[in-house]
Amino acid sequence: MGKASRGKKQRNRDTAGTWSAAKAARTAHQARADTRKLLRDNVWVHAMLASNLNNRMAELKAVLDHSDLPEQHRENLAFAMMIGKQGWKPPWPPGPAQAAQWQSQQVLHLLAQAEVLVISPAAHAAVMAAASTLEPADVATLDKDRDILIPTGVLVLPEPVIVENRGGSLSDIRAFGWQPVTQHQVLPDAQYPGTQLTCFMDRDGPVQPESWRMAVAQARATGSPLPPLVPDGIYGLRADGALSAASSEQHTSLSEEHRSLNTALNQVAQYNALPPEEGQWDGGRIVDVYDDFALRYAFAFWRLAAQGVTVLGSPREPGTHTHQTRPGETRPTPDVRVIRLAHQIPAQRSAEDDGSSRAYHHRWTVRMHKVRQWYPSAQEHRLIWRGPYIKGPADAPFMIGEKAYAVD
């Protein structure tokens, strides 16, 4: 739960460069390598993670203290909701410093084991469009065996996504990382297959207030420079398809519970927050009211990849498989997969069409929905969830609501 409360003023976006798979792959690999090197025993990152945990735990406990939950269970439940979901096994840590140290080790393990992926701007736009249609309960249908084709990965975006966090602070998310964990919950005690999801901010990204530039400079001056990918929010997703067969009423109820909890957490955060810094940004921002943008983006990415809407490219793309070490000598670079937008599901004409062709001029995202799927082997219909997926001509712009977004 939660991303760091780091208010960062926005600066103008650099639109001079053009995305290419080879350049993105080299940049992603170098960012992963540099982050692994600089993250180890980094006191500045450790302090950020500890502060984030302390703030979020205080907000969660403040909400639970006003609930009907018996007092003796509140702290236990808060720990379970915060780090039990991320894979920490009880007994709980004595304080945020120990939990932050564990989180740092988790991120280092992720970076050491993960496949590196880069996503094209078109595929990124499709994921953003799909994520915008998801409800909180949709994410609870995640099945690691069905949906996550690459169990441990780091996905580097074509450009940072600006997110307005709880309390009004801003983050620029440049990458997501995930790895399998076992979730530990209480009331009642239970263990679930899960996925630990880590958001990485861009150290040199578009959101750069004076306070952040000073922190970067001070860290560098003390010999512990911040890594290019700074770990920020860490989440835990249940990944055993728990709600795949749940009714629509159960989905609605869970989504409302999620919104209600985060509305209360927002109120606590806003009460304690300093006035947010303001700035200009021509690329827009995601207002993450319910602190679930990262979950929705990751779920949409996994689901679109599993459905074939995006293509998992070869680990070695043309132009990325070798580089020169000395004149006349080359050696392979580590594998980097490139995610591209694949074929589209064509838009179907209605039964009332008189045979004349209908030209669709945009693409759109079909929301998750239930269907009665016939299983010949069992000779029965079963309710399953489908989507999100993209429909419409492959070369048309995306339509989200009443706005069309062109992609390259």
Side-chain angles (χ1 to χ4, degrees):
M1 289 182 61
K3 290 183 283 293
S5 299
R6 171 166 65 87
K8 295 175 69 185
K9 186 178 294 182
Q10 304 169 22
R11 60 178 169 81
N12 289 334
R13 179 196 224 166
D14 176 15
T15 57
T18 301
W19 188 90
S20 72
K23 180 180 178 181
R26 289 193 299 269
T27 300
H29 168 63
Q30 191 63 51
R32 193 265 289 268
D34 291 345
T35 298
R36 285 187 65 191
K37 177 181 178 181
L38 297 176
L39 182 61
R40 193 175 303 277
D41 299 323
N42 191 300
V43 295
W44 292 84
V45 173
H46 183 271
M48 290 178 187
L49 291 173
S51 177
N52 182 25
L53 281 164
N54 188 60
N55 292 339
R56 293 312 183 218
M57 180 65 80
E59 293 167 3
L60 189 54
K61 289 176 69 176
V63 172
L64 293 177
D65 283 343
H66 289 81
S67 70
D68 296 331
L69 190 71
E71 184 175 356
Q72 67 269 25
H73 296 313
R74 292 171 187 171
E75 184 175 65
N76 211 21
L77 182 58
F79 272 114
M81 294 174 69
M82 280 291 296
I83 59 176
K85 285 186 175 181
Q86 297 173 20
W88 182 294
K89 182 179 180 179
W92 307 121
Q98 293 79 4
Q101 183 64 37
W102 174 80
Q103 285 188 333
S104 296
Q105 294 302 317
Q106 292 290 297
V107 176
L108 284 170
H109 181 268
L110 164 68
L111 293 172
Q113 301 295 323
E115 281 201 53
V116 181
L117 305 97
V118 295
I119 184 169
S120 73
H124 172 60
V127 175
M128 291 288 285
S132 71
T133 72
L134 294 174
E135 293 292 321
D138 294 336
V139 180
T141 67
L142 177 68
D143 185 320
K144 63 181 180 63
D145 298 322
R146 179 194 64 197
D147 293 322
I148 305 179
L149 302 182
I150 296 177
T152 304
V154 171
L155 176 69
V156 181
L157 308 183
E159 63 177 358
V161 174
I162 309 304
V163 178
E164 182 176 325
N165 301 310
R166 181 173 293 145
S169 64
L170 301 178
S171 294
D172 40 19
I173 298 178
R174 185 56 192 271
F176 294 99
W178 62 91
Q179 59 185 330
V181 295
T182 298
Q183 294 188 332
H184 299 274
Q185 292 299 284
V186 297
L187 303 179
D189 293 337
Q191 297 180 10
Y192 307 108
T195 296
Q196 184 188 91
L197 179 68
T198 301
C199 301
F200 292 92
M201 297 184 295
D202 190 339
R203 179 194 62 194
D204 306 315
V207 179
Q208 292 282 324
E210 182 62 26
S211 59
W212 179 251
R213 291 197 295 269
M214 288 179 60
V216 171
Q218 289 174 350
R220 185 177 294 115
T222 59
S224 296
L226 295 180
L229 300 176
V230 182
D232 190 12
I234 301 181
Y235 300 82
L237 296 85
R238 188 168 171 177
D240 58 354
L243 286 188
S244 295
S247 67
S248 298
E249 291 75 14
Q250 289 174 299
H251 272 246
T252 300
S253 176
L254 181 62
S255 293
E256 289 304 318
E257 290 176 8
H258 172 86
R259 294 189 181 102
S260 177
L261 172 60
N262 279 277
T263 297
L265 290 170
N266 288 338
Q267 292 170 349
V268 174
Q270 289 168 3
Y271 180 81
N272 296 323
L274 296 173
E277 296 184 81
E278 295 295 336
Q280 298 300 316
W281 173 258
D282 59 3
R285 69 177 71 170
I286 301 297
V287 181
D288 198 11
V289 177
Y290 300 114
D291 192 30
D292 61 359
F293 165 72
L295 308 181
R296 290 185 288 110
Y297 185 97
F299 180 86
F301 170 75
W302 293 323
R303 182 61 65 88
L304 293 183
Q307 293 177 346
V309 178
T310 60
V311 176
L312 291 170
S314 166
R316 291 179 180 174
E317 290 281 320
T320 67
H321 62 286
T322 61
H323 68 273
Q324 190 167 336
T325 57
R326 291 194 298 267
E329 179 184 351
T330 62
R331 61 184 175 87
T333 63
D335 296 339
V336 177
R337 289 185 184 268
V338 180
I339 312 300
R340 299 182 185 277
L341 193 61
H343 65 278
Q344 305 300 295
I345 298 175
Q348 301 295 323
R349 289 182 297 171
S350 65
E352 291 77 16
D353 287 347
D354 58 3
S356 59
S357 61
R358 175 180 295 181
Y360 291 90
H361 301 289
H362 64 273
R363 286 179 285 178
W364 66 96
T365 305
V366 178
R367 303 175 66 96
M368 284 192 67
H369 58 281
K370 275 189 174 181
V371 296
R372 286 174 54 82
Q373 176 70 44
W374 174 252
Y375 286 81
S377 60
Q379 290 294 298
E380 64 179 11
H381 284 91
R382 297 176 184 173
L383 287 176
I384 63 170
W385 284 87
R386 282 186 180 164
Y389 53 85
I390 309 298
K391 292 187 71 170
D395 58 349
F398 277 108
M399 180 73 73
I400 305 178
E402 298 179 352
K403 296 181 180 180
Y405 293 83
V407 298
D408 54 13

